[in-house]
Amino acid sequence: MNTADAVARLTKAVADRTAIGRLTDEYTGLDLPAAYDVQRELRSAAGELAGWKLGLTSRAKQAQVGVAEPVYGFLPAAGALDLGEVLETGRQIQPRCEPEIVFTLGRDLGGAHVTAAEVLGACSGVAVGIEVLDSRYRDYSFTTADVVADNTSASRFVVGAPVSPQGIDLRLVGVVLEKNGVVAGTASGAASLGHPAAAVAWLVRCLSAEGLSLRAGQVVLSGGLTAAVPVGPGDVVVASIDRLGSVELACR
Ligand code: 0L1
Ligand code: MG
């Protein structure tokens, strides 16, 4: 296993906008810890962080890519799209969009035993978001270790205006994903590990094992709630979540 070589291959795939084969086909030693080492190297080269993301927290997502365990990755600030900003699909490899419940941290949060209730207490708001995935692997074909090394397919993301989580049962909120006016997927908040805040608590505990914590002002994408839809020029994707609102993303 050669971490620097794996990082170079993934970085080149982005620069060339060309998908590559699975790294696990190349490196016998690419287990989960080695994959998070690769991701850590990508993170140190990524500049300012907007926050973190969970992946594969819902059965719909796990079934779509054939990986049955949650994973986490980082969100470079450079990946953020503003509301109304168009996604330039020509800069992507094979973009897909999915709806997310997004947490905004009101204060730092870390620790090995953090609970969902503590996550809700620490967040200043929750919002609807759209994550744009862009796997660096051909046809989104990967193992858990591959997708972790590839920063969980993270590419771009857009987050709506946050609302207070007070009085909202995030398990029960309905989720609708539309592409070009047609419903492409539906879910409820409970799709993400039973409760989106429980998913974020899992992330915090994982980060704690790395000596890291969430910081005030950071955002956390708690995991795609429906299967992700492929997008290309001219497509418009809308994610709507009950009580949180809607976000639209147009593609060129
Ligand atoms: O769909 C995928 O590329 C799997 C990794 C990311 C999943 C997610 O963000 O929920
Ligand atoms: Mg996601």
Side-chain angles (χ1 to χ4, degrees):
M1 177 57 210
N2 182 331
T3 304
D5 187 56
V7 167
R9 285 179 192 225
L10 290 163
T11 306
K12 185 167 176 349
V14 175
D16 295 350
R17 287 170 204 138
T18 304
I20 58 175
R22 298 170 176 218
L23 291 177
T24 48
D25 291 341
E26 301 286 327
Y27 307 112
T28 46
L30 186 57
D31 55 13
L32 210 47
Y36 276 109
D37 286 344
V38 173
Q39 189 190 115
R40 206 169 295 117
E41 289 300 313
L42 290 170
R43 193 171 76 229
S44 26
E48 189 191 342
L49 280 200
W52 298 87
K53 61 162 284 189
L54 288 126
L56 306 174
T57 53
S58 67
R59 286 198 196 287
K61 285 293 311 178
Q62 294 180 355
Q64 181 175 35
V65 296
V67 172
E69 55 190 311
V71 293
Y72 65 92
F74 62 91
L75 297 172
L81 289 160
D82 205 351
L83 289 171
E85 189 176 343
V86 171
L87 177 73
E88 301 284 353
T89 54
R91 294 192 187 151
Q92 312 287 134
I93 303 169
Q94 44 188 349
R96 291 180 177 179
C97 291
E98 62 187 17
E100 299 267 352
I101 293 175
V102 184
F103 290 74
T104 303
L105 269 292
R107 58 175 168 81
D108 296 355
L109 182 65
H113 305 286
V114 162
T115 62
E118 288 173 292
V119 168
L120 288 168
C123 82
S124 56
V126 285
V128 55
I130 296 175
E131 181 175 21
V132 181
L133 300 168
D134 200 23
S135 176
R136 272 53 70 170
Y137 302 114
R138 263 187 296 281
D139 303 324
Y140 283 74
S141 169
F142 43 65
T143 65
T144 312
D146 287 307
V147 74
V148 164
D150 185 27
N151 191 26
T152 65
S153 309
S155 179
R156 312 298 305 268
F157 59 97
V158 56
V159 179
V163 301
S164 166
Q166 290 268 336
I168 301 179
D169 187 337
L170 290 173
R171 295 171 309 155
L172 302 183
V173 294
V175 180
V176 178
L177 178 69
E178 291 163 283
K179 178 177 160 184
N180 303 332
V182 177
V183 173
T186 59
S188 77
S192 182
L193 294 185
H195 195 303
V200 178
W202 177 80
L203 166 73
V204 176
R205 295 193 296 269
C206 292
L207 291 180
S208 168
E210 288 198 54
L212 298 170
S213 56
L214 299 182
R215 298 287 176 197
Q218 287 186 331
V219 294
V220 179
L221 274 52
S222 56
L225 293 158
T226 70
V229 290
V231 290
D235 287 334
V236 178
V237 171
V238 180
S240 303
I241 302 184
D242 190 28
R243 316 278 301 269
L244 309 189
S246 291
V247 163
E248 178 179 296
L249 179 63
C251 306
R252 180 156 55 206

